[in-house]
Structures are given as C-alpha cells and as structure tokens.
C-alpha cells in the first residue's frame, strides 16, 4: 500500500534528490523571509539570472559550476549597488539593466560552445535527480553556512531591514549588513541552481515567505511557516515528479505556488488587508 | 545619574556645516551648539533642512564641509548612546513585528551580535512600554495601531535603548492631543535626568509650549533661543520667508505637514502602501 511512497526511496539518486531539495527549500525559505521584507524579490530574480555567465565560464574552464555562479552573482550584486549610487538611478532600474545584460552574456557565451542544447536545459531548469554524492556534501556545507550566518545575525538583519535609519543611527553597520545579505542571497541561489535551475530559483526564495506573510503578522511565525513550506513542498514535488515523470524543479515550484494560492483563497483577508489600508489613509492625513 | 557633570557640557556641536542631496544644499554654513539636558525643537519651512540637520547629528549623512560633534566625539562614534526615531512615513507599517519586537530592537545595538536578549533586556523593554502607556498593546502588530500608538511604540524603542541623546523626526506630527501631551511629558522628564532631546516639528504651538530651546532653520540658522522665539513675528517671517502671509497682524504659515517634493536619497516613503503593494 505504501509502495508509491517507499518504492522510489530504494534508489540512491532519489534519496540524494530528496535531501538536496529539502536543504534548498529550507535555505531559500529562510533567506526569502528577509528578502520579501526588504522588497528584494526582483533582486533575487536578477542575481539568479546573473549567475548564468558564471556557470558557463566554469563549464568552459572545466571548473566547479558553483564557484562560477557565486562569483558572477556576487559581482552583479555589488555592481548593482555601485552603479545605482554612481549614476543616481533607482535600484530597480539598474537591476533591470544588469540582470538582462548578464543573462544575455551567459547565452552569448553558451552559444559559442558547439552542441550545447542539452546542457542549457539543465542549467536553466535544474536536474535535482542528477545530483551526485559530492554535490550533496558541497550543498550541505553551503546550506549550513547560510543558516549559521542568519542564526548569528538574525536580530541585526531584522532591525536593519525594518528601520535602516534607526539601526544605523544607533551604531549598527547597516551598509555592511546590506552587502552581507546580498552575498547570502547569492549563495542561496548557488545552492539552488542544480535543484531548480536559474529561472525558477526566485520562486523557491519568494513563494514560501510570501505564503507565510499571508498567514501571520509575527516575524517568528513568518520564519517558521516559510521554513515548513520550504521543507514540505520539495518532498511533495519530488514524489509527484517521480509518479508523473515530470520535471522535478518545475513540479516543486508548482507545489509551492499551489500552497500560495490556497493561502490567498483561505487566508484571513481582513486581517492582512485592513492594516495596510488603515495606514495609508492615516499617513496621508495632514497633521493639523 | 543626575549628577552635575551630566548637565554640563555640550550635547551637539555643529560648526560651519554645508550638506544636501544631489548637489543641492539643504544646509548652508550652519553653526549650532546645543547643551546637554536641553529639550530642543527645530522648526522651519518644508525643505528648510530640519531632517537633514537631524540626520547629520545621527551620522546618517556626511557634511560636505564643516564638522559635527555629538556627545563630545565626532558624529557616529557615540552611536550607541544615540536613539533616532524616523518620520512615521519612512516606516513600513505592514512589517510583521509587534510593539514588543519594535521596543526590543532598541536593545539590539548594545547587546552585540552573539548575545540574545536576557531578563534585563525584557525588563527594560517592559518598563519602556509601561512608560509610554503601551504595555497592554505589547503583542499588537504595529500596522494595527493608531498614529499616536505608533509614535508611542517608537518612543518606547528609544527609551529602551537608554540613550544620552534622543533625535526625533516629527515626533508629534499627526498624533492626538493626549499622545502629544504624554510624549512631551516623558521627554521633559528625560531632559530633567540630564538626557538631551532634539526634535523637528511643524507644530509651532507645541514648540512654544513644551520645548526649552527652539532653533529656527531655513537652510541657515535663523534664530536660536528660548521657546518664546517662535512667537516672534520677526523670527517667523525670516524663518518662513515666502511661506508666510501676514493677515491683519496674524501670521499664517502656508506650509503643510507633508514636507517634501521628492524623497531624499535612498528613502522609500510608505504613503500609498496599501495601493502600491497589494
């Protein structure tokens, strides 16, 4: 009776895929909570696409793909900050320019490689079933690194996200925390690339946290609900993908999206909407 | 802590400071000395540089020219003894934190990276919420509060930090009269203990009634002195310039509480939060 559940567990590749996608789901869900509160959803999308040329260069040089991805993502994150400051442009404008530019560079480099089509699909959409034992160890180390940094700096990250002016005035290194957080996003993306691929990483980062935000107004519960979704959705997605022989990364993302839609439909609409409406009318009010 | 030393000396010294955004000066050659224990209101027209001056003192922006010293050291060096409360519209009120969480943030800088809040921190936060009259609302999400309650919660954060210097941007703008009276009484008590409070305000009546020192600012310091200055027609006309109209001996200030044309560098204002985000 439990055959559909237990049968795939006999395969080592399925066990590794399960372990990898749960780690990816958890890391992304935790990082995603800070991301959506900072308004960095678009930034996450940009940094994942920006990893592409790094992956291609690593492939051409026969180096580890995650080093190339990390270098390209972090460099783009720093460049976004630098160009925005230097050019006096809005952050999202600069993100739009550099994100497309880096992705185009990746495709350009890739098109120079003969017979590239099959691999391109893997880079863009992930191949969690192809994760090897060595990849799994690297993934585990990176996941532990990201979660440890957040465990140590959770309150500084929270304060500087909520009120950067108040935090900076009382001595927190807000600018350095900001760069550190961008680096954390970049590493989370690198961790996720093999599992879900460049295009879908942003869903792993944003969707669990967005779902949690529909259901709670407490930061602790936001983290807990997001992490729970981040762990459960990959397991469900991977089984569905096994049973239906569908693309694993996309199935995981679809499960997360489905949970999000259920939360939208069933969520306490009044509780989540009313404060926002209340606040805009109050703030717009002249003082006296 | 109310020994004579605390009241002696300078809380803030601003010398020959020029500052602004995008090449446009907001402050021109500003020099100002504010004593410890003073309860200071900075008033002036929109875009007159009130918030810029507060941010300089908080070390959130750097002067183009000149020097700023705070609590006897260059601005920023004594940051942990400074509490800054931004304007209400710079806060994302849909953020998932409670009143208690906000007040606890006041304790974070002194706690440092590895330490978690302990009993002493919870006591300080509880006492601060008690002082501002928000103890019964401690579990409320900040977006569910009224404008006055939000100001109270942020003042609790400042009090919980136990600072020597309070920097408050428009603390009494848009709050009910009871809250205004309560907040001013609290701040007066803090200055009586030797703490210094510097607040920007649009509210000339509040400035005249509650503050010990007022600073009229319109790119330059127009006047500094006792609170009666804000009632001086000459000072008012020089501070507000074209923003003021004299009608049958009564000064009418043509200045709405919503004070700027554009957001200054790197700021996001949350007026249309509901409309923009959802």
């Amino acid at each position: 009776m439990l055959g559909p559940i237990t049968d795939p567990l006999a395969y080592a590749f399925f066990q590794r895929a399960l372990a990898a996608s749960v780690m990816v789901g958890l890391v992304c869900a935790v990082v995603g909570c800070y991301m959506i509160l900072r308004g960095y959803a678009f930034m996450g999308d940009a940094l994942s696409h920006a990893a592409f040329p790094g992956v291609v260069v690593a492939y051409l040089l026969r180096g580890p793909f995650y080093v190339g991805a990390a270098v390209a993502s972090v460099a783009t994150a720093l460049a976004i900050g630098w160009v925005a400051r230097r050019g006096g442009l809005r952050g999202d404008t600069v993100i739009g320019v550099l994100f497309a530019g880096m992705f185009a560079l990746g495709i350009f480099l890739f098109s120079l490689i003969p017979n590239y089509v099959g691999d391109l699909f893997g880079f863009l959409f992930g191949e969690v079933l192809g994760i090897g034992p060595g990849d799994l160890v690297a993934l585990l180390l990176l996941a532990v690194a990201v979660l440890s940094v957040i465990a140590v700096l959770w309150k500084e990250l929270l304060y500087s996200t909520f009120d950067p002016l108040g935090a900076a005035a009382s001595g927190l290194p807000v600018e350095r925390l900001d760069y550190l957080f961008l680096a954390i996003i970049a590493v989370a993306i690198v961790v996720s690339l093999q599992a879900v691929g460049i295009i879908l990483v942003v869903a792993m980062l944003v969707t669990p946290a967005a779902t949690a935000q529909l259901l709670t107004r407490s930061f602790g519960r936001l983290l807990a609900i997001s992490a729970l979704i981040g762990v459960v959705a990959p397991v469900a997605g991977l089984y569905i993908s096994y049973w239906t022989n569908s693309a694993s990364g996309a199935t995981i993302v679809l499960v997360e999206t489905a949970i999000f839609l259920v939360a939208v439909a069933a969520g306490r609409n009044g509780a989540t909407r009313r404060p926002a409406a209340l606040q805009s009318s109050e703030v717009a009010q002249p003082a006296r | 802590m109310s020994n004579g030393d605390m009241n002696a000396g300078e809380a803030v010294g601003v010398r020959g400071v020029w500052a602004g955004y995008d090449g446009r000066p907001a402050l021109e050659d500003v020099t100002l000395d504010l004593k410890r224990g003073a309860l200071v209101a900075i008033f002036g027209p929109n875009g007159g540089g009130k918030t810029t001056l507060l941010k300089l003192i908080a070390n959130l922006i750097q002067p183009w020219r000149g020097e700023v010293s705070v609590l006897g050291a260059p601005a920023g060096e004594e940051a942990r003894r400074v509490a800054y409360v931004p304007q209400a519209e710079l806060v994302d009120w849909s953020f998932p934190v409670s009143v208690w969480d906000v007040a606890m943030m006041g304790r974070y800088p002194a706690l440092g990276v590895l330490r978690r809040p302990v009993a002493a921190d919870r006591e300080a936060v509880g006492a601060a919420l008690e002082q501002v009259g928000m103890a019964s609302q401690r579990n409320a999400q900040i977006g569910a509060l009224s404008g006055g309650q939000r100001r109270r919660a942020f003042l609790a954060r400042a009090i919980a930090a136990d600072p020597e210097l309070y920097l408050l941007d428009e603390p009494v703008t848009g709050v009910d009269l009871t809250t205004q009276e309560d907040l001013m009484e609290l701040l007066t008590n803090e200055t009586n203990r030797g703490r210094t409070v510097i607040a920007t305000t649009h509210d000339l009546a509040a400035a005249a009634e509650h503050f010990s020192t007022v600073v009229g600012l319109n790119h330059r310091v127009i006047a500094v002195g006792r609170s009666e200055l804000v009632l001086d027609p000459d000072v008012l006309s020089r501070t507000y310039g074209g923003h003021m109209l004299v009608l049958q001996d009564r000064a009418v200030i043509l200045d709405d509480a919503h004070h700027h044309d554009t957001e200054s560098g790197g700021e996001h204002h949350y007026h249309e939060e509901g409309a923009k985000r959802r």
Side-chain angles (χ1 to χ4, degrees):
Chain A
M1 209 172 87
L2 288 174
I5 305 286
T6 52
D7 284 354
L9 290 174
Y11 300 105
F13 78 85
F14 190 84
Q15 292 171 5
R16 284 197 299 270
L18 211 52
S21 53
V22 164
M23 275 193 284
V24 166
L26 179 64
V27 167
C28 285
V30 171
V31 174
C33 286
Y34 287 95
M35 264 178 72
I36 61 164
L37 292 175
R38 282 178 177 239
Y40 273 8
F42 188 39
M43 179 68 109
D45 205 16
L47 294 189
S48 59
H49 284 75
F52 191 41
V55 172
V56 178
V57 169
Y59 178 87
L60 287 171
L61 299 176
R62 304 268 178 272
F65 84 93
Y66 41 87
V67 173
V71 169
S73 272
V74 170
T76 307
L78 298 180
I80 287 167
W82 185 75
V83 173
R85 224 158 298 175
R86 189 180 162 79
L89 294 169
R90 280 176 57 110
D92 58 345
T93 308
V94 178
I95 291 171
V97 172
L98 293 186
F99 145 44
M102 286 295 277
F103 195 56
L105 177 64
I107 294 173
F108 174 80
L109 291 173
F110 215 99
S111 65
L112 299 179
I113 309 171
N115 309 321
Y116 59 83
V117 177
D119 289 330
L120 180 66
F121 199 78
F123 284 135
L124 294 183
F125 301 105
E127 291 177 308
V128 75
L129 298 175
I131 281 180
D135 297 329
L136 204 58
V137 172
L139 231 161
L140 179 67
L141 292 177
L142 288 173
V144 168
V146 168
L147 293 178
S148 307
V149 170
I150 290 180
V152 168
L153 291 174
W154 69 272
K155 61 185 196 302
E156 284 74 16
L157 285 169
L158 179 66
Y159 193 0
S160 65
T161 301
F162 175 60
D163 179 6
L165 293 179
S170 62
L172 291 187
V174 169
E175 199 170 325
R176 268 183 287 158
L177 284 168
D178 206 28
Y179 280 121
L180 176 73
F181 186 65
L182 288 175
I184 289 174
I185 297 177
V187 174
I189 286 166
V190 168
V191 167
S192 315
L193 278 188
Q194 259 187 308
V196 290
I198 284 164
I199 311 276
L200 296 178
V201 171
V202 70
M204 299 294 284
L205 287 162
V206 172
T207 307
T211 309
Q213 213 184 10
L214 290 172
L215 301 174
T216 181
R217 304 297 261 170
S218 134
F219 184 71
R221 282 197 290 272
L222 184 80
L223 275 176
I225 295 172
S226 182
L228 183 69
I229 296 170
V231 167
V232 170
V235 176
L238 216 51
Y239 270 104
I240 294 171
S241 142
Y242 180 86
W243 297 329
T244 61
N245 202 19
S246 56
S248 53
T251 311
I252 292 169
V253 169
L254 280 177
V255 170
E256 289 192 343
T257 311
I259 299 173
F260 174 79
L261 292 175
V262 169
V264 170
R268 300 171 300 153
N269 287 336
T272 53
R273 264 182 213 148
R274 210 166 295 131
L278 189 95
Q279 140 215 293
S280 57
S281 64
E282 267 182 15
V283 171
Q285 220 174 63
R288 19 184 65 219
Chain B
M1 292 275 275
S2 58
N3 57 27
D5 269 338
M6 295 296 286
N7 286 319
E10 178 192 79
V12 169
V14 178
R15 281 176 246 311
V17 160
W18 290 70
Y21 305 95
D22 302 326
R24 274 180 307 159
L27 297 176
E28 299 169 13
D29 197 22
V30 166
T31 294
L32 190 63
D33 287 297
L34 299 170
K35 297 273 169 275
R36 290 199 192 209
L39 180 55
V40 184
I42 302 171
F43 71 99
N46 295 342
K50 298 189 294 293
T51 296
T52 307
L53 180 57
L54 215 59
K55 284 185 174 172
L56 274 169
I57 298 167
N59 196 40
L60 295 171
I61 56 171
Q62 301 303 313
W64 296 345
R65 246 198 280 166
E67 279 168 28
V68 182
S69 69
V70 175
L71 301 171
E77 281 190 14
E78 296 291 336
R80 290 204 175 147
R81 295 159 68 201
V82 174
Y84 177 89
V85 176
Q87 288 165 30
E89 70 227 38
L90 290 177
V91 176
D92 174 4
W93 295 106
S94 69
F95 206 95
V97 283
S98 65
V99 169
W100 176 270
D101 297 333
V102 170
M104 185 58 89
M105 286 178 195
R107 307 292 294 178
Y108 288 173
L111 268 174
V113 165
L114 286 170
R115 297 221 315 276
R116 312 244 140 162
V118 295
D121 299 298
R122 287 190 287 273
E123 249 166 62
V125 169
L129 290 176
E130 201 72 56
Q131 275 193 67
V132 301
M134 289 294 286
S136 62
Q137 304 274 335
R138 53 189 274 177
N139 293 322
Q141 194 267 331
I142 52 164
L145 304 174
S146 72
Q149 290 172 323
R150 291 172 180 185
R151 292 277 93 180
R152 288 172 189 260
F154 268 75
L155 191 62
R157 184 183 80 186
I159 291 171
D162 197 20
E164 290 293 320
L165 173 63
Y166 290 85
L167 301 173
L168 312 172
D169 206 350
E170 301 288 350
V172 295
T173 297
V175 305
D176 55 280
L177 211 59
T178 315
T179 300
Q180 185 172 327
E181 297 285 334
D182 288 353
L183 297 188
M184 290 314 304
E185 191 188 326
L186 262 171
L187 295 175
T188 306
N189 287 340
E190 289 298 292
T191 56
N192 288 341
R193 298 168 61 209
R195 311 295 167 79
T196 310
V197 174
I198 304 174
T200 63
T201 188
H202 277 86
D203 190 332
L204 294 179
E209 192 184 340
H210 297 293
F211 288 84
S212 67
T213 305
V214 294
V215 178
L217 189 70
N218 188 357
H219 299 292
R220 298 166 179 276
V221 175
I222 307 296
V224 186
R226 295 165 54 84
S227 57
E228 298 87 61
L229 269 182
V230 302
L231 303 174
D232 181 332
D234 182 48
V235 167
L236 282 181
S237 73
R238 282 191 294 138
T239 304
Y240 286 91
H243 296 272
M244 199 182 78
L245 209 64
V246 179
L247 292 173
Q248 298 173 343
D249 298 335
R250 289 171 57 185
V252 178
I253 290 166
L254 307 172
D255 200 47
D256 78 292
H258 201 94
H259 33 81
H260 43 77
D261 301 327
T262 51
E263 296 171 5
S264 51
E267 284 180 357
H268 177 58
H269 289 199
Y270 289 90
H271 321 282
E272 306 293 339
E273 184 60 25
K276 260 190 211 161
R277 280 213 174 173
R278 280 154 215 271

